Amino acid sequence: MSATFETTRRAVLAFGAAAAGELLIGFTGKGIVAQAQTPAARDAILQSGTFIRIDRRGQIFLVVPYAEMGQGALAAVAMLVAEELEVSPYAIKTEMAPGDDKLYGHPLLGDQITGGSLGVRGAWKQMRQAGAAARIVLIQAAAQGWSVDPSTCHAQDGYIIHAASGRRAPYGDLVERARALPVPQDPPIRDGNFKVIGKSMRRTDAAEKVNGSALYGIDVRMPGLKYAALMLSPVLGGKLVDVDPAPAMAIRGVSQVVKHPEAIAVVASNTGAARKGLAALSPRWAGGNTTLRTADLVADLDSGTKVAGLVATTGGDSAAAMAKAAKVHQMDFRMPMLAHAAMEPLNCTVHYRQNACEIWVGSQGPGRARKQVAAALGLPEDAVTVHNHHIGGGFGRRLQSEWIVLAAEIGSKVQGPVQICWGREQDFRHDAFRYHNHSAVKVGVDDKGKPVSFEHRVVGPSIMSWFLPAYVRDGVDLDVVNGASGSYEWPNHRVEYVRKDPPAGLLAGNWRGVGETRNCFVVETVVDELAYQAGQDPVQYRRALLKPGSRILHVLDRVAEASKWGSPLPRGSGRGVSVLEGFGSYMAVVAEVELPGSNSLRLKRITAVVDCGQPVNPNIVRQQIEGGLIYGISAALYGRVTIHNGQIQQTNFHDHPVLRMNEMPDMEVIVIDSKEAPGGVGEPGTAVLAPAITNAIKAAGGPRLYSLPIDLTVESRA
């Protein structure tokens, strides 16, 4: 889906105008809109699809439709607007858009979603045109006031300047006249020669995160706020039978125990009292799958590798080529269930009033949350307001809204505002997990070890069937099979998909890296093993399979050079390489490891090269790639969620560890200077990392690993 721009004076005036106020310009699915309002009407304005607001003092406000969860959305979008509006990004005050799919829907997805590394890709044209439209009407307003041709005026640093006469006017002085002008249809934007885009600038939200003023969902405070601690059934899918509230009510500060079919919430004047009250309860639960075990899930997916699946992609005749191959290699892969393990546990503040509900939260899909809360409470959608805030780690978990709906249902039984917080244990045990994924791969090679046929059977759930049905084609979940054959020029290939959804009560969802994080490990391990069997260098082997002159080949060459690929290493050390084409970007990684003992691993160095097209801010790109690589290292080394008798066994970071500082390898990220359209950078690092490490382990003299996590003791770099 893409926005269309069909603005006329009639469309502009359809919103109405106040006698005096501000200039507002923005894009919705219906086009560019401009609106004038008084400051008193500002809250209503923000829910009218407006992106840019300029007041009479010249202050520029920007409503960002994408969630900020550390990836730099606020800063990047501010830079896009600043480029066309001819101001510094630091002159723009950013605000997060409230939940509204109709007004803030992603140009490519329709819904108001921040995920799939699609933020900048969606904003690239949309937000630049918003800035261009504002600049054009300001120039027209100045030219009209000076009785000169608009072509003789230009914008610069928050002023409109008429060079011939030396006249200049700040944006604020032009608002009154500009707001009455029609907004241009499909305004032109710069094609290169950028002044802001492409610069490594300090993030516009850095200061507030350093000084603590950035408002995360868990930071929301208001007069009369109560706090609720939450407990769900320890058995997945279990329901509450009953609970005696008296022990909790005896705790000082506790005011209420809310019973919900799926949960208990203890409401108090402070978090400590709420948690003490919750601990005092002895609820009775029933139902759920009390016999569910990880071994059963693994066996179920293993069975899927042995049956024919739906054809996802095909080229040539893989079966005939396989029958004629000099040798056939078969490899089976298992990837475990994973938690998101974000630092900020799930939380939601709710204020339910008669016929209305107001929510403060950090969500990757606030528009969906609004719809689902409205449906659950029996309210019209416009009676639900969702205020979105900074997110302390999303990783795909906050794309779903079942937890927001639960909070709203509990909040509807509480008088006044209440903040419902999942404890760390509840957050871990009731995640929307990345479900198990298995693969069976068969590759036929000729007598020189060159592939002649590639077949990959992908076994996993279909998250998109309910999350984004447009991503399911003829029964094939396109996300699950993303990257299932890599970027390689297989002469004959076939990818099949076998659907294996989680059992009832076990919630699965999107996890950072989505389809590529499953399939990159498989494909890059396969190619590395083929090189090993053929006695060839892994980089050279890949070069022969990649299209000459391609961007993916270029990043492979750059990473080989930067990592000093082929240079001598001490005994027991090795380098591993992997490449990824995904999310509109191209990436290559080399990991260097050491095996100091028979069952231990030391990470020495990670070198990464990324071609993400035109980088809006190279510093943010590096930060995102570094963060993705670190997240990927944690998953590769430690990521595993297990179930016994229907209960998730991991409850906190002590039994679900993440990478520690002393384990962190040296890291270098190189960003290619490209003029292509931007690609995504939030997820490629996570997806490409694991095979680079496992391939390095093999090169260092260790085993070839076909399953994750890596069962080796990680030693300190010191």
Side-chain angles (χ1 to χ4, degrees), residues 225-229 251-254 266-276:
L225 181 65
K226 299 173 183 176
Y227 301 84
I251 303 295
R252 182 179 179 181
V254 172
V266 175
V267 182
S269 59
N270 61 81
T271 299
R275 290 180 64 84
K276 287 180 183 178

Side-chain angles (χ1 to χ4, degrees), residues 3-77:
T4 56
F5 308 110
E6 49 178 5
T7 304
T8 62
R9 179 181 292 272
R10 180 178 179 182
V12 171
L13 297 179
F15 284 93
E22 302 165 324
L23 172 67
L24 294 110
I25 293 180
F27 293 81
T28 69
K30 297 180 180 179
I32 306 174
V33 297
Q35 181 184 6
Q37 289 285 353
T38 61
R42 182 172 298 167
D43 289 342
I45 288 169
L46 292 181
Q47 297 177 50
S48 300
T50 305
F51 290 157
I52 298 173
R53 184 172 77 248
I54 304 175
D55 67 19
R56 298 178 73 177
R57 299 167 300 163
Q59 178 61 62
I60 302 167
F61 300 88
L62 171 61
V63 179
V64 179
Y66 306 101
E68 174 57 69
M69 46 191 164
Q71 84 280 27
L74 297 180
V77 173

Side-chain angles (χ1 to χ4, degrees), residues 67-147:
E68 174 57 69
M69 46 191 164
Q71 84 280 27
L74 297 180
V77 173
M79 288 179 69
L80 295 178
V81 170
E83 179 68 60
E84 298 293 339
L85 196 47
E86 293 286 359
V87 295
S88 165
Y90 307 115
I92 297 175
K93 291 186 177 181
T94 53
E95 304 167 351
M96 275 177 264
D100 194 319
D101 282 339
K102 294 179 182 178
L103 299 174
Y104 300 111
H106 193 288
L108 304 176
L109 301 174
D111 287 358
Q112 187 184 2
I113 291 174
T114 304
S117 299
L118 283 167
V120 167
R121 285 189 280 173
W124 178 241
K125 180 178 179 181
Q126 179 191 50
M127 303 309 293
R128 290 163 65 205
Q129 284 198 306
R135 184 191 74 247
I136 289 170
V137 296
L138 289 166
I139 288 175
Q140 290 175 340
Q144 188 180 85
W146 295 330
S147 299

Side-chain angles (χ1 to χ4, degrees), residues 437-493:
N437 288 263
H438 292 194
S439 283
V441 178
K442 185 188 296 185
V443 184
V445 298
D446 62 19
D447 56 1
K448 293 183 175 58
K450 183 179 179 180
V452 296
S453 183
F454 173 88
E455 295 180 351
H456 182 183
R457 182 171 294 155
V458 180
V459 184
S462 178
I463 305 301
M464 291 297 133
S465 63
W466 57 266
F467 181 75
L468 209 60
Y471 270 70
V472 178
R473 185 178 303 158
D474 298 327
V476 175
D477 188 308
L478 301 181
D479 169 61
V480 173
V481 299
N482 262 348
S485 55
S487 299
Y488 298 106
E489 300 280 295
W490 308 106
N492 301 279
H493 75 276

Side-chain angles (χ1 to χ4, degrees), residues 210-299:
V210 171
N211 64 30
S213 63
L215 193 65
Y216 291 79
I218 205 167
D219 297 326
V220 169
R221 298 291 183 270
M222 60 195 65
L225 181 65
K226 299 173 183 176
Y227 301 84
L230 185 75
M231 180 190 298
L232 293 92
S233 170
V235 174
L236 296 171
K239 304 295 182 184
L240 179 64
V241 176
D242 198 11
V243 64
D244 179 6
M249 296 299 293
I251 303 295
R252 182 179 179 181
V254 172
S255 59
Q256 187 178 358
V257 175
V258 178
K259 301 177 185 179
H260 184 279
E262 297 177 1
I264 306 164
V266 175
V267 182
S269 59
N270 61 81
T271 299
R275 290 180 64 84
K276 287 180 183 178
L278 194 66
L281 296 177
S282 300
R284 290 190 297 122
W285 307 91
N289 193 338
T290 58
T291 63
L292 189 63
R293 301 177 307 155
T294 293
D296 300 326
L297 302 179
V298 171

Side-chain angles (χ1 to χ4, degrees), residues 569-576 590-596 600-606 637 665 692-702 710 712:
L569 288 172
R571 183 178 178 83
S573 297
R575 295 188 185 96
V590 169
E592 182 182 324
V593 307
E594 177 187 354
L595 302 180
S600 58
L601 168 69
R602 182 175 291 129
L603 303 176
K604 301 292 288 184
R605 183 175 177 81
I606 302 291
L637 297 179
I693 294 179
T694 56
N695 291 341
I697 290 171
K698 177 65 176 177
I710 299 168
L712 295 173

Side-chain angles (χ1 to χ4, degrees), residues 298-337:
V298 171
D300 183 44
L301 270 82
D302 276 346
S303 70
T305 65
K306 298 173 176 61
V307 299
L310 299 173
V311 176
T313 61
T314 185
D317 191 334
S318 64
M322 196 78 71
K324 297 177 181 178
K327 187 175 182 179
V328 174
H329 299 279
Q330 297 190 58
M331 299 169 234
D332 293 328
F333 295 82
R334 290 175 172 174
M335 279 152 284
M337 196 160 74

